[in-house]
Amino acid sequence: MAEDKPAESPVKGLDLSDYKLKVDHFDQVHVLGQDNIIEGAPNFRQVSGFPIFGCAQPTEEGFKNVLEKVPRGTEEKPVKTIWYNMRQEPVIYCNGEPFAPRHPGRMHDNLSIDEPVDEMNRLEVCFGEIVKERAKADPEKLLKINKDSEFTENPMERENIEETIKTKSVKCLPEVFNELKQQQGFKNLDLIRVPVVEESAPKEVCFDILVDSLKQEPAGTQCAFSCQAGRGRTTLGMIIACQVKEIQICTELRKMAEIGLVPQATAEDLIKQKFEFPLPKGQDDDDPFIKGEFDVIKELLEKLPDAKEGKAKIDRLINLCGPGPKGTGLQNLRECIIETKWKYDVAPEDRQVAWRQMILNFMERYFYLICFATYAKECGPGGFEKSFVSWMDDHSKLRTMIEEGKDKLEWYRQVDPAKLNTLKDLMNGPNYKENMPIIIRTIYEFAFITYADLPRGPIKNNSMRKLSAKTLLEILPAEVSTKVQERLDEQGANPDFVTLIGLVSYYGQE
């Protein structure tokens, strides 16, 4: 019958009929410990000093638990909460649990399309109808769902598992919110979608969606942010909201000082106490890459002088919204650039593709956060009358700067040519077998010096082993190198330094 057909997709050329349901939550999705755990809302936290909260995509019960946890005010003075869905992809609830659509051939990638928010919201409703029809079509209301066998940070390492569940209820996200407002008493609750793609830089308009929703609100309006795991996208929204609220409060205090309601010194002291108190020091704080001193960022600070203050301000908020001891969150949106680069350095070549794209996305995201902080400093005190998109139009060269500069990284470590030549001389000598102990020790020293900037731990150890293996392969005599490479190809193995030493010893005796 015609009325039983699912709604047509509002996005031209995108048919979600065959898209599979992927469950949002996975084993060990909650990583923030048990102190503030809220059932159904993994990774719940609050930014210190701000009415700003974040978590992974809650279950239906998790929404209720979070809204009961945060302040609600009184009947006379209720506290408003704006819930920001930081996800571009549709969110569907089956039996109270959150799911998202995945392309059958790309089960580990979230949906990525460039459409306005209204289209995204309609697409969500459309997919909800598709899922309802699937459940309705089965006599036992069975529905196939998918999940990862275990979570791995690199999507290329994930394995998909398909299961079947019996459906009791299917709802799209707006339906869940309507029930919270109308049936469960959370009347002072708004839902806003900010469509950000997972592990990606936000579109410029996403900054404006957040600013426009907050600039007329009192600084005390609460903000709750969520994405699939409550990690990058949630943290991004929390940082931007902190920046807006800080400017609102500082502007208000300074206006009060101007009209004589409070002394100027008192207003500035209050601002310092709330927004400039010292954060705990980390052992790697002086590392230039931990501080975000990448080539394209340094170019931004040089070409846009006000960005120096913008960077300092946003860096502090990034720290507050990041992991302890400085913050209460999951991911530091500045430090994750170099941390992901370390993972790229030690990954097999076939796994480096995903890490590389993440690094480029993270660099672009950080660049835009600095741009936003610079814009907010300029336009915020006046009430954000100019949009961020318009400000970027005025500074359009910045778009070219990040597009052309985000991959200006040392993708391959530059080794010391003199030390490499010394190793080659030792290996090419007539008695290279007798030189092997010296060669091995020199290679280790060579790797240690090359990765001296990395903090101690498994990433540094793996990086050194990988470079040692690569160096040894490079300097081997041709007749030994050919045999070793053939053996490695037979085993389908990546060259491990210890394995290589064994193979060199074996073939070197022939």
Side-chain angles (χ1 to χ4, degrees), residues 245-262:
K245 287 187 179 292
E246 179 174 333
I247 286 173
Q248 287 177 321
I249 293 169
C250 291
T251 301
E252 191 61 34
L253 281 170
R254 286 176 176 137
K255 280 181 181 175
M256 291 169 67
E258 282 175 15
I259 61 176
L261 287 177
V262 295

Side-chain angles (χ1 to χ4, degrees), residues 117 160 169 204 236 274 326 329 357 362 365 448 506:
V117 172
N160 186 64
S169 67
E204 291 169 16
L236 173 75
K274 186 165 181 63
K326 295 177 183 177
Q357 190 56 54
F362 292 168
R365 180 174 64 185
F448 182 81
Y506 178 76

Side-chain angles (χ1 to χ4, degrees), residues 15-21 101-105 107 127 130 134:
D15 182 2
L16 297 182
S17 299
D18 295 328
Y19 276 56
K20 298 189 175 186
L21 272 179
R102 298 289 175 93
H103 187 283
M107 289 301 296
F127 187 64
I130 289 171
R134 284 183 196 170

Side-chain angles (χ1 to χ4, degrees), residues 68-106:
E68 287 177 342
K69 169 90 172 175
V70 303
R72 297 177 66 182
T74 63
E75 280 193 30
E76 296 78 23
K77 277 192 161 186
V79 176
K80 181 178 178 180
T81 299
I82 304 176
W83 197 294
Y84 293 92
N85 170 24
M86 297 296 294
R87 306 175 69 171
Q88 187 187 63
E89 67 274 13
V91 182
I92 303 299
Y93 281 78
C94 297
N95 302 343
E97 300 289 328
F99 292 78
R102 298 289 175 93
H103 187 283
R106 299 190 297 274

